[in-house]
Amino acid sequence: MPHAAGTFGSATPATNDAPSWQARLEPTPRRLSPASLVTHNPIVQSSVVVRASYLRTAGGYRWGKRYAEDYDLWLRLANVAPIYFIGNGLVRRHRTENQLSQARARMVEGKWEALAHFLRHETPNPDYFEGLDAAQLVDMTLDSDMAHARSDWNRALLQSIIESAKKLQPSSARVAYWSRWLTYAWPSLRAARFLGREFPSLLHGWVRRRLS
């Protein structure tokens, strides 16, 4: 891979009872797709090996950025030259509640700020981003983030995603759709979820009162 900007691999969770692990290299390295980078950032930072020349060309880590600083760099690095996935279990990763990556709302805000900075200061390389324009990159990111946040039923996080997207693409049909969804559909969905969870106990209590 003479023209690769860098390589990365997946991580194995580190637990006290986990057996010793063995890295499994890919027979053929796979080029990181723009869709996977933009939507969920699969790159494990501690597994990355980067060519110094491409790192300097991309500008390195951006000074003063606290959240999603690695994602900010990967966007710029991938715009310079391809990044390849080379194997599974290349590193072991510990997770704790105090890790910056566990602050989901801040990480989402950092991700969108990185995307905004990239789109304002760089021209997406058509060789890597496959002809996707800024609007399409924003839409892909929005759809992915909304799908993940909805699974947590976190309105504050959903609203943060929408507001971040509006700053980049205020007239987007998808942004308008999700804004209306939060405004009109969210209350009814929350009510339906509450009733689905609480209705049996409420009915049971009413029957007991009627029979006592």
PDB file of all heavy atoms in Angstrom, residues 151-187:
ATOM      1  N   SER A 151     -32.470   5.320  19.614  1.00  0.00           N
ATOM      2  CA  SER A 151     -32.475   4.065  20.371  1.00  0.00           C
ATOM      3  C   SER A 151     -32.337   4.318  21.861  1.00  0.00           C
ATOM      4  O   SER A 151     -32.698   3.481  22.681  1.00  0.00           O
ATOM      5  CB  SER A 151     -31.345   3.148  19.880  1.00  0.00           C
ATOM      6  OG  SER A 151     -30.087   3.711  20.167  1.00  0.00           O
ATOM      7  N   ASP A 152     -31.801   5.485  22.234  1.00  0.00           N
ATOM      8  CA  ASP A 152     -31.658   5.848  23.648  1.00  0.00           C
ATOM      9  C   ASP A 152     -32.804   6.722  24.143  1.00  0.00           C
ATOM     10  O   ASP A 152     -32.873   7.049  25.323  1.00  0.00           O
ATOM     11  CB  ASP A 152     -30.339   6.606  23.878  1.00  0.00           C
ATOM     12  CG  ASP A 152     -29.128   5.724  23.666  1.00  0.00           C
ATOM     13  OD1 ASP A 152     -29.300   4.488  23.696  1.00  0.00           O
ATOM     14  OD2 ASP A 152     -28.037   6.264  23.461  1.00  0.00           O
ATOM     15  N   TRP A 153     -33.677   7.145  23.260  1.00  0.00           N
ATOM     16  CA  TRP A 153     -34.783   8.040  23.610  1.00  0.00           C
ATOM     17  C   TRP A 153     -34.278   9.267  24.369  1.00  0.00           C
ATOM     18  O   TRP A 153     -34.820   9.652  25.395  1.00  0.00           O
ATOM     19  CB  TRP A 153     -35.838   7.310  24.446  1.00  0.00           C
ATOM     20  CG  TRP A 153     -36.586   6.282  23.664  1.00  0.00           C
ATOM     21  CD1 TRP A 153     -36.169   5.010  23.411  1.00  0.00           C
ATOM     22  CD2 TRP A 153     -37.839   6.421  23.002  1.00  0.00           C
ATOM     23  NE1 TRP A 153     -37.079   4.349  22.624  1.00  0.00           N
ATOM     24  CE2 TRP A 153     -38.131   5.185  22.369  1.00  0.00           C
ATOM     25  CE3 TRP A 153     -38.752   7.466  22.887  1.00  0.00           C
ATOM     26  CZ2 TRP A 153     -39.288   4.986  21.635  1.00  0.00           C
ATOM     27  CZ3 TRP A 153     -39.906   7.265  22.157  1.00  0.00           C
ATOM     28  CH2 TRP A 153     -40.163   6.033  21.548  1.00  0.00           C
ATOM     29  N   ASN A 154     -33.206   9.867  23.834  1.00  0.00           N
ATOM     30  CA  ASN A 154     -32.588  11.009  24.491  1.00  0.00           C
ATOM     31  C   ASN A 154     -32.928  12.269  23.703  1.00  0.00           C
ATOM     32  O   ASN A 154     -32.283  12.601  22.722  1.00  0.00           O
ATOM     33  CB  ASN A 154     -31.071  10.794  24.547  1.00  0.00           C
ATOM     34  CG  ASN A 154     -30.366  11.838  25.388  1.00  0.00           C
ATOM     35  OD1 ASN A 154     -30.808  12.974  25.469  1.00  0.00           O
ATOM     36  ND2 ASN A 154     -29.266  11.440  26.004  1.00  0.00           N
ATOM     37  N   ARG A 155     -33.945  12.993  24.174  1.00  0.00           N
ATOM     38  CA  ARG A 155     -34.411  14.170  23.429  1.00  0.00           C
ATOM     39  C   ARG A 155     -33.339  15.252  23.364  1.00  0.00           C
ATOM     40  O   ARG A 155     -33.170  15.901  22.329  1.00  0.00           O
ATOM     41  CB  ARG A 155     -35.678  14.734  24.069  1.00  0.00           C
ATOM     42  CG  ARG A 155     -36.248  15.911  23.270  1.00  0.00           C
ATOM     43  CD  ARG A 155     -37.477  16.518  23.936  1.00  0.00           C
ATOM     44  NE  ARG A 155     -37.941  17.685  23.219  1.00  0.00           N
ATOM     45  CZ  ARG A 155     -38.801  17.664  22.218  1.00  0.00           C
ATOM     46  NH1 ARG A 155     -39.291  16.505  21.813  1.00  0.00           N
ATOM     47  NH2 ARG A 155     -39.184  18.774  21.625  1.00  0.00           N
ATOM     48  N   ALA A 156     -32.601  15.454  24.451  1.00  0.00           N
ATOM     49  CA  ALA A 156     -31.571  16.495  24.458  1.00  0.00           C
ATOM     50  C   ALA A 156     -30.497  16.202  23.419  1.00  0.00           C
ATOM     51  O   ALA A 156     -30.030  17.104  22.714  1.00  0.00           O
ATOM     52  CB  ALA A 156     -30.954  16.603  25.849  1.00  0.00           C
ATOM     53  N   LEU A 157     -30.120  14.940  23.309  1.00  0.00           N
ATOM     54  CA  LEU A 157     -29.113  14.555  22.332  1.00  0.00           C
ATOM     55  C   LEU A 157     -29.652  14.708  20.912  1.00  0.00           C
ATOM     56  O   LEU A 157     -28.961  15.213  20.020  1.00  0.00           O
ATOM     57  CB  LEU A 157     -28.674  13.109  22.576  1.00  0.00           C
ATOM     58  CG  LEU A 157     -27.536  12.569  21.707  1.00  0.00           C
ATOM     59  CD1 LEU A 157     -26.296  13.439  21.853  1.00  0.00           C
ATOM     60  CD2 LEU A 157     -27.227  11.136  22.092  1.00  0.00           C
ATOM     61  N   LEU A 158     -30.896  14.307  20.703  1.00  0.00           N
ATOM     62  CA  LEU A 158     -31.520  14.461  19.393  1.00  0.00           C
ATOM     63  C   LEU A 158     -31.572  15.934  18.988  1.00  0.00           C
ATOM     64  O   LEU A 158     -31.272  16.297  17.857  1.00  0.00           O
ATOM     65  CB  LEU A 158     -32.929  13.875  19.411  1.00  0.00           C
ATOM     66  CG  LEU A 158     -33.062  12.365  19.591  1.00  0.00           C
ATOM     67  CD1 LEU A 158     -34.520  11.994  19.839  1.00  0.00           C
ATOM     68  CD2 LEU A 158     -32.543  11.635  18.373  1.00  0.00           C
ATOM     69  N   GLN A 159     -31.951  16.778  19.935  1.00  0.00           N
ATOM     70  CA  GLN A 159     -32.055  18.207  19.644  1.00  0.00           C
ATOM     71  C   GLN A 159     -30.696  18.800  19.319  1.00  0.00           C
ATOM     72  O   GLN A 159     -30.550  19.647  18.432  1.00  0.00           O
ATOM     73  CB  GLN A 159     -32.676  18.941  20.837  1.00  0.00           C
ATOM     74  CG  GLN A 159     -33.118  20.367  20.532  1.00  0.00           C
ATOM     75  CD  GLN A 159     -34.252  20.404  19.525  1.00  0.00           C
ATOM     76  OE1 GLN A 159     -35.261  19.725  19.673  1.00  0.00           O
ATOM     77  NE2 GLN A 159     -34.081  21.189  18.469  1.00  0.00           N
ATOM     78  N   SER A 160     -29.665  18.341  20.031  1.00  0.00           N
ATOM     79  CA  SER A 160     -28.306  18.817  19.771  1.00  0.00           C
ATOM     80  C   SER A 160     -27.863  18.456  18.355  1.00  0.00           C
ATOM     81  O   SER A 160     -27.230  19.263  17.661  1.00  0.00           O
ATOM     82  CB  SER A 160     -27.337  18.220  20.790  1.00  0.00           C
ATOM     83  OG  SER A 160     -26.006  18.559  20.493  1.00  0.00           O
ATOM     84  N   ILE A 161     -28.208  17.251  17.924  1.00  0.00           N
ATOM     85  CA  ILE A 161     -27.853  16.811  16.567  1.00  0.00           C
ATOM     86  C   ILE A 161     -28.556  17.689  15.531  1.00  0.00           C
ATOM     87  O   ILE A 161     -27.948  18.129  14.553  1.00  0.00           O
ATOM     88  CB  ILE A 161     -28.224  15.333  16.374  1.00  0.00           C
ATOM     89  CG1 ILE A 161     -27.359  14.450  17.282  1.00  0.00           C
ATOM     90  CG2 ILE A 161     -28.066  14.920  14.916  1.00  0.00           C
ATOM     91  CD1 ILE A 161     -27.835  13.013  17.355  1.00  0.00           C
ATOM     92  N   ILE A 162     -29.846  17.939  15.743  1.00  0.00           N
ATOM     93  CA  ILE A 162     -30.619  18.756  14.802  1.00  0.00           C
ATOM     94  C   ILE A 162     -30.043  20.171  14.713  1.00  0.00           C
ATOM     95  O   ILE A 162     -29.870  20.728  13.627  1.00  0.00           O
ATOM     96  CB  ILE A 162     -32.097  18.811  15.223  1.00  0.00           C
ATOM     97  CG1 ILE A 162     -32.782  17.476  14.934  1.00  0.00           C
ATOM     98  CG2 ILE A 162     -32.832  19.931  14.494  1.00  0.00           C
ATOM     99  CD1 ILE A 162     -32.898  17.150  13.462  1.00  0.00           C
ATOM    100  N   GLU A 163     -29.740  20.772  15.870  1.00  0.00           N
ATOM    101  CA  GLU A 163     -29.217  22.133  15.863  1.00  0.00           C
ATOM    102  C   GLU A 163     -27.865  22.193  15.167  1.00  0.00           C
ATOM    103  O   GLU A 163     -27.557  23.158  14.453  1.00  0.00           O
ATOM    104  CB  GLU A 163     -29.109  22.658  17.300  1.00  0.00           C
ATOM    105  CG  GLU A 163     -30.449  22.849  17.990  1.00  0.00           C
ATOM    106  CD  GLU A 163     -31.390  23.749  17.214  1.00  0.00           C
ATOM    107  OE1 GLU A 163     -30.918  24.779  16.672  1.00  0.00           O
ATOM    108  OE2 GLU A 163     -32.590  23.436  17.126  1.00  0.00           O
ATOM    109  N   SER A 164     -27.032  21.172  15.364  1.00  0.00           N
ATOM    110  CA  SER A 164     -25.725  21.133  14.698  1.00  0.00           C
ATOM    111  C   SER A 164     -25.896  21.018  13.191  1.00  0.00           C
ATOM    112  O   SER A 164     -25.191  21.669  12.416  1.00  0.00           O
ATOM    113  CB  SER A 164     -24.902  19.953  15.216  1.00  0.00           C
ATOM    114  OG  SER A 164     -24.630  20.081  16.595  1.00  0.00           O
ATOM    115  N   ALA A 165     -26.859  20.186  12.764  1.00  0.00           N
ATOM    116  CA  ALA A 165     -27.098  20.008  11.333  1.00  0.00           C
ATOM    117  C   ALA A 165     -27.643  21.296  10.705  1.00  0.00           C
ATOM    118  O   ALA A 165     -27.297  21.634   9.570  1.00  0.00           O
ATOM    119  CB  ALA A 165     -28.063  18.857  11.107  1.00  0.00           C
ATOM    120  N   LYS A 166     -28.476  22.018  11.426  1.00  0.00           N
ATOM    121  CA  LYS A 166     -29.048  23.258  10.895  1.00  0.00           C
ATOM    122  C   LYS A 166     -27.960  24.283  10.578  1.00  0.00           C
ATOM    123  O   LYS A 166     -28.063  25.042   9.610  1.00  0.00           O
ATOM    124  CB  LYS A 166     -30.036  23.862  11.899  1.00  0.00           C
ATOM    125  CG  LYS A 166     -31.389  23.175  11.942  1.00  0.00           C
ATOM    126  CD  LYS A 166     -32.282  23.858  12.963  1.00  0.00           C
ATOM    127  CE  LYS A 166     -33.665  23.224  13.006  1.00  0.00           C
ATOM    128  NZ  LYS A 166     -34.527  23.868  14.030  1.00  0.00           N
ATOM    129  N   LYS A 167     -26.905  24.299  11.388  1.00  0.00           N
ATOM    130  CA  LYS A 167     -25.828  25.260  11.167  1.00  0.00           C
ATOM    131  C   LYS A 167     -25.085  24.979   9.866  1.00  0.00           C
ATOM    132  O   LYS A 167     -24.526  25.878   9.249  1.00  0.00           O
ATOM    133  CB  LYS A 167     -24.847  25.214  12.336  1.00  0.00           C
ATOM    134  CG  LYS A 167     -25.437  25.674  13.664  1.00  0.00           C
ATOM    135  CD  LYS A 167     -24.443  25.486  14.788  1.00  0.00           C
ATOM    136  CE  LYS A 167     -25.063  25.851  16.135  1.00  0.00           C
ATOM    137  NZ  LYS A 167     -24.118  25.600  17.253  1.00  0.00           N
ATOM    138  N   LEU A 168     -25.083  23.704   9.457  1.00  0.00           N
ATOM    139  CA  LEU A 168     -24.380  23.330   8.230  1.00  0.00           C
ATOM    140  C   LEU A 168     -25.283  23.318   7.011  1.00  0.00           C
ATOM    141  O   LEU A 168     -24.845  23.607   5.909  1.00  0.00           O
ATOM    142  CB  LEU A 168     -23.761  21.932   8.402  1.00  0.00           C
ATOM    143  CG  LEU A 168     -22.485  21.857   9.224  1.00  0.00           C
ATOM    144  CD1 LEU A 168     -22.017  20.419   9.348  1.00  0.00           C
ATOM    145  CD2 LEU A 168     -21.391  22.694   8.595  1.00  0.00           C
ATOM    146  N   GLN A 169     -26.544  22.963   7.222  1.00  0.00           N
ATOM    147  CA  GLN A 169     -27.439  22.758   6.082  1.00  0.00           C
ATOM    148  C   GLN A 169     -28.872  23.124   6.492  1.00  0.00           C
ATOM    149  O   GLN A 169     -29.735  22.272   6.603  1.00  0.00           O
ATOM    150  CB  GLN A 169     -27.373  21.290   5.646  1.00  0.00           C
ATOM    151  CG  GLN A 169     -27.929  21.016   4.275  1.00  0.00           C
ATOM    152  CD  GLN A 169     -27.893  19.529   3.975  1.00  0.00           C
ATOM    153  OE1 GLN A 169     -27.623  18.725   4.855  1.00  0.00           O
ATOM    154  NE2 GLN A 169     -28.184  19.155   2.754  1.00  0.00           N
ATOM    155  N   PRO A 170     -29.149  24.409   6.701  1.00  0.00           N
ATOM    156  CA  PRO A 170     -30.443  24.813   7.261  1.00  0.00           C
ATOM    157  C   PRO A 170     -31.645  24.484   6.396  1.00  0.00           C
ATOM    158  O   PRO A 170     -32.751  24.378   6.902  1.00  0.00           O
ATOM    159  CB  PRO A 170     -30.284  26.331   7.441  1.00  0.00           C
ATOM    160  CG  PRO A 170     -29.208  26.712   6.478  1.00  0.00           C
ATOM    161  CD  PRO A 170     -28.269  25.548   6.453  1.00  0.00           C
ATOM    162  N   SER A 171     -31.455  24.296   5.082  1.00  0.00           N
ATOM    163  CA  SER A 171     -32.608  24.046   4.214  1.00  0.00           C
ATOM    164  C   SER A 171     -32.782  22.577   3.858  1.00  0.00           C
ATOM    165  O   SER A 171     -33.599  22.240   3.008  1.00  0.00           O
ATOM    166  CB  SER A 171     -32.450  24.857   2.919  1.00  0.00           C
ATOM    167  OG  SER A 171     -31.267  24.471   2.236  1.00  0.00           O
ATOM    168  N   SER A 172     -32.028  21.710   4.492  1.00  0.00           N
ATOM    169  CA  SER A 172     -32.097  20.291   4.147  1.00  0.00           C
ATOM    170  C   SER A 172     -33.471  19.715   4.444  1.00  0.00           C
ATOM    171  O   SER A 172     -34.083  19.974   5.469  1.00  0.00           O
ATOM    172  CB  SER A 172     -31.049  19.518   4.951  1.00  0.00           C
ATOM    173  OG  SER A 172     -31.284  18.138   4.889  1.00  0.00           O
ATOM    174  N   ALA A 173     -33.959  18.889   3.512  1.00  0.00           N
ATOM    175  CA  ALA A 173     -35.255  18.229   3.712  1.00  0.00           C
ATOM    176  C   ALA A 173     -35.196  17.284   4.902  1.00  0.00           C
ATOM    177  O   ALA A 173     -36.163  17.168   5.654  1.00  0.00           O
ATOM    178  CB  ALA A 173     -35.643  17.465   2.444  1.00  0.00           C
ATOM    179  N   ARG A 174     -34.055  16.606   5.081  1.00  0.00           N
ATOM    180  CA  ARG A 174     -33.941  15.677   6.203  1.00  0.00           C
ATOM    181  C   ARG A 174     -33.915  16.426   7.530  1.00  0.00           C
ATOM    182  O   ARG A 174     -34.498  15.979   8.516  1.00  0.00           O
ATOM    183  CB  ARG A 174     -32.683  14.819   6.057  1.00  0.00           C
ATOM    184  CG  ARG A 174     -32.828  13.659   5.077  1.00  0.00           C
ATOM    185  CD  ARG A 174     -31.658  12.715   5.225  1.00  0.00           C
ATOM    186  NE  ARG A 174     -31.815  11.524   4.416  1.00  0.00           N
ATOM    187  CZ  ARG A 174     -31.363  11.393   3.182  1.00  0.00           C
ATOM    188  NH1 ARG A 174     -30.727  12.401   2.607  1.00  0.00           N
ATOM    189  NH2 ARG A 174     -31.519  10.269   2.509  1.00  0.00           N
ATOM    190  N   VAL A 175     -33.229  17.562   7.565  1.00  0.00           N
ATOM    191  CA  VAL A 175     -33.214  18.365   8.790  1.00  0.00           C
ATOM    192  C   VAL A 175     -34.620  18.830   9.130  1.00  0.00           C
ATOM    193  O   VAL A 175     -35.057  18.779  10.286  1.00  0.00           O
ATOM    194  CB  VAL A 175     -32.262  19.574   8.652  1.00  0.00           C
ATOM    195  CG1 VAL A 175     -32.373  20.492   9.866  1.00  0.00           C
ATOM    196  CG2 VAL A 175     -30.826  19.107   8.487  1.00  0.00           C
ATOM    197  N   ALA A 176     -35.350  19.289   8.117  1.00  0.00           N
ATOM    198  CA  ALA A 176     -36.729  19.728   8.338  1.00  0.00           C
ATOM    199  C   ALA A 176     -37.595  18.572   8.829  1.00  0.00           C
ATOM    200  O   ALA A 176     -38.425  18.738   9.736  1.00  0.00           O
ATOM    201  CB  ALA A 176     -37.296  20.310   7.048  1.00  0.00           C
ATOM    202  N   TYR A 177     -37.383  17.396   8.264  1.00  0.00           N
ATOM    203  CA  TYR A 177     -38.170  16.227   8.666  1.00  0.00           C
ATOM    204  C   TYR A 177     -37.927  15.886  10.133  1.00  0.00           C
ATOM    205  O   TYR A 177     -38.881  15.688  10.905  1.00  0.00           O
ATOM    206  CB  TYR A 177     -37.818  15.029   7.789  1.00  0.00           C
ATOM    207  CG  TYR A 177     -38.341  13.716   8.328  1.00  0.00           C
ATOM    208  CD1 TYR A 177     -39.675  13.355   8.184  1.00  0.00           C
ATOM    209  CD2 TYR A 177     -37.494  12.848   9.035  1.00  0.00           C
ATOM    210  CE1 TYR A 177     -40.157  12.161   8.699  1.00  0.00           C
ATOM    211  CE2 TYR A 177     -37.970  11.660   9.545  1.00  0.00           C
ATOM    212  CZ  TYR A 177     -39.288  11.312   9.377  1.00  0.00           C
ATOM    213  OH  TYR A 177     -39.761  10.139   9.898  1.00  0.00           O
ATOM    214  N   TRP A 178     -36.650  15.812  10.513  1.00  0.00           N
ATOM    215  CA  TRP A 178     -36.348  15.447  11.900  1.00  0.00           C
ATOM    216  C   TRP A 178     -36.782  16.535  12.872  1.00  0.00           C
ATOM    217  O   TRP A 178     -37.144  16.245  14.018  1.00  0.00           O
ATOM    218  CB  TRP A 178     -34.861  15.151  12.046  1.00  0.00           C
ATOM    219  CG  TRP A 178     -34.441  13.842  11.448  1.00  0.00           C
ATOM    220  CD1 TRP A 178     -33.536  13.630  10.449  1.00  0.00           C
ATOM    221  CD2 TRP A 178     -34.926  12.534  11.814  1.00  0.00           C
ATOM    222  NE1 TRP A 178     -33.428  12.293  10.164  1.00  0.00           N
ATOM    223  CE2 TRP A 178     -34.267  11.597  10.981  1.00  0.00           C
ATOM    224  CE3 TRP A 178     -35.848  12.078  12.748  1.00  0.00           C
ATOM    225  CZ2 TRP A 178     -34.496  10.236  11.072  1.00  0.00           C
ATOM    226  CZ3 TRP A 178     -36.080  10.720  12.829  1.00  0.00           C
ATOM    227  CH2 TRP A 178     -35.419   9.816  12.004  1.00  0.00           C
ATOM    228  N   SER A 179     -36.734  17.805  12.443  1.00  0.00           N
ATOM    229  CA  SER A 179     -37.217  18.886  13.309  1.00  0.00           C
ATOM    230  C   SER A 179     -38.709  18.716  13.577  1.00  0.00           C
ATOM    231  O   SER A 179     -39.168  18.866  14.720  1.00  0.00           O
ATOM    232  CB  SER A 179     -36.945  20.247  12.648  1.00  0.00           C
ATOM    233  OG  SER A 179     -35.575  20.476  12.497  1.00  0.00           O
ATOM    234  N   ARG A 180     -39.470  18.416  12.533  1.00  0.00           N
ATOM    235  CA  ARG A 180     -40.908  18.193  12.722  1.00  0.00           C
ATOM    236  C   ARG A 180     -41.152  16.946  13.565  1.00  0.00           C
ATOM    237  O   ARG A 180     -42.063  16.915  14.400  1.00  0.00           O
ATOM    238  CB  ARG A 180     -41.591  18.042  11.363  1.00  0.00           C
ATOM    239  CG  ARG A 180     -41.666  19.323  10.557  1.00  0.00           C
ATOM    240  CD  ARG A 180     -42.651  19.205   9.407  1.00  0.00           C
ATOM    241  NE  ARG A 180     -42.281  18.164   8.478  1.00  0.00           N
ATOM    242  CZ  ARG A 180     -41.472  18.335   7.440  1.00  0.00           C
ATOM    243  NH1 ARG A 180     -40.956  19.520   7.202  1.00  0.00           N
ATOM    244  NH2 ARG A 180     -41.177  17.331   6.639  1.00  0.00           N
ATOM    245  N   TRP A 181     -40.343  15.922  13.343  1.00  0.00           N
ATOM    246  CA  TRP A 181     -40.490  14.683  14.124  1.00  0.00           C
ATOM    247  C   TRP A 181     -40.323  14.958  15.606  1.00  0.00           C
ATOM    248  O   TRP A 181     -41.095  14.478  16.435  1.00  0.00           O
ATOM    249  CB  TRP A 181     -39.455  13.664  13.646  1.00  0.00           C
ATOM    250  CG  TRP A 181     -39.600  12.307  14.267  1.00  0.00           C
ATOM    251  CD1 TRP A 181     -40.401  11.297  13.847  1.00  0.00           C
ATOM    252  CD2 TRP A 181     -38.921  11.815  15.420  1.00  0.00           C
ATOM    253  NE1 TRP A 181     -40.265  10.196  14.671  1.00  0.00           N
ATOM    254  CE2 TRP A 181     -39.359  10.489  15.640  1.00  0.00           C
ATOM    255  CE3 TRP A 181     -37.977  12.365  16.289  1.00  0.00           C
ATOM    256  CZ2 TRP A 181     -38.892   9.717  16.687  1.00  0.00           C
ATOM    257  CZ3 TRP A 181     -37.504  11.590  17.334  1.00  0.00           C
ATOM    258  CH2 TRP A 181     -37.964  10.287  17.521  1.00  0.00           C
ATOM    259  N   LEU A 182     -39.303  15.744  15.963  1.00  0.00           N
ATOM    260  CA  LEU A 182     -39.077  16.075  17.369  1.00  0.00           C
ATOM    261  C   LEU A 182     -40.211  16.919  17.931  1.00  0.00           C
ATOM    262  O   LEU A 182     -40.598  16.763  19.090  1.00  0.00           O
ATOM    263  CB  LEU A 182     -37.753  16.835  17.525  1.00  0.00           C
ATOM    264  CG  LEU A 182     -36.484  15.999  17.592  1.00  0.00           C
ATOM    265  CD1 LEU A 182     -35.264  16.906  17.628  1.00  0.00           C
ATOM    266  CD2 LEU A 182     -36.491  15.098  18.813  1.00  0.00           C
ATOM    267  N   THR A 183     -40.731  17.815  17.098  1.00  0.00           N
ATOM    268  CA  THR A 183     -41.759  18.744  17.576  1.00  0.00           C
ATOM    269  C   THR A 183     -43.113  18.072  17.753  1.00  0.00           C
ATOM    270  O   THR A 183     -43.789  18.272  18.772  1.00  0.00           O
ATOM    271  CB  THR A 183     -41.899  19.923  16.597  1.00  0.00           C
ATOM    272  OG1 THR A 183     -40.635  20.572  16.450  1.00  0.00           O
ATOM    273  CG2 THR A 183     -42.944  20.917  17.103  1.00  0.00           C
ATOM    274  N   TYR A 184     -43.505  17.246  16.780  1.00  0.00           N
ATOM    275  CA  TYR A 184     -44.856  16.706  16.782  1.00  0.00           C
ATOM    276  C   TYR A 184     -44.935  15.223  17.171  1.00  0.00           C
ATOM    277  O   TYR A 184     -45.839  14.820  17.902  1.00  0.00           O
ATOM    278  CB  TYR A 184     -45.500  16.905  15.403  1.00  0.00           C
ATOM    279  CG  TYR A 184     -45.549  18.339  14.980  1.00  0.00           C
ATOM    280  CD1 TYR A 184     -44.739  18.818  13.961  1.00  0.00           C
ATOM    281  CD2 TYR A 184     -46.402  19.236  15.630  1.00  0.00           C
ATOM    282  CE1 TYR A 184     -44.771  20.157  13.580  1.00  0.00           C
ATOM    283  CE2 TYR A 184     -46.438  20.577  15.249  1.00  0.00           C
ATOM    284  CZ  TYR A 184     -45.627  21.032  14.233  1.00  0.00           C
ATOM    285  OH  TYR A 184     -45.652  22.345  13.876  1.00  0.00           O
ATOM    286  N   ALA A 185     -44.033  14.425  16.682  1.00  0.00           N
ATOM    287  CA  ALA A 185     -44.135  12.989  16.927  1.00  0.00           C
ATOM    288  C   ALA A 185     -43.571  12.573  18.275  1.00  0.00           C
ATOM    289  O   ALA A 185     -44.063  11.629  18.887  1.00  0.00           O
ATOM    290  CB  ALA A 185     -43.417  12.223  15.811  1.00  0.00           C
ATOM    291  N   TRP A 186     -42.547  13.280  18.737  1.00  0.00           N
ATOM    292  CA  TRP A 186     -41.903  12.880  19.985  1.00  0.00           C
ATOM    293  C   TRP A 186     -42.867  12.789  21.165  1.00  0.00           C
ATOM    294  O   TRP A 186     -42.880  11.786  21.879  1.00  0.00           O
ATOM    295  CB  TRP A 186     -40.766  13.839  20.314  1.00  0.00           C
ATOM    296  CG  TRP A 186     -40.109  13.565  21.634  1.00  0.00           C
ATOM    297  CD1 TRP A 186     -40.439  14.091  22.839  1.00  0.00           C
ATOM    298  CD2 TRP A 186     -39.024  12.670  21.892  1.00  0.00           C
ATOM    299  NE1 TRP A 186     -39.626  13.602  23.827  1.00  0.00           N
ATOM    300  CE2 TRP A 186     -38.750  12.728  23.271  1.00  0.00           C
ATOM    301  CE3 TRP A 186     -38.262  11.834  21.087  1.00  0.00           C
ATOM    302  CZ2 TRP A 186     -37.738  11.972  23.857  1.00  0.00           C
ATOM    303  CZ3 TRP A 186     -37.252  11.094  21.668  1.00  0.00           C
ATOM    304  CH2 TRP A 186     -37.007  11.177  23.035  1.00  0.00           C
ATOM    305  N   PRO A 187     -43.710  13.834  21.429  1.00  0.00           N
ATOM    306  CA  PRO A 187     -44.615  13.731  22.592  1.00  0.00           C
ATOM    307  C   PRO A 187     -45.537  12.518  22.527  1.00  0.00           C
ATOM    308  O   PRO A 187     -45.745  11.842  23.537  1.00  0.00           O
ATOM    309  CB  PRO A 187     -45.407  15.048  22.531  1.00  0.00           C
ATOM    310  CG  PRO A 187     -44.515  15.984  21.790  1.00  0.00           C
ATOM    311  CD  PRO A 187     -43.830  15.133  20.764  1.00  0.00           C
TER     312      PRO A 187
END
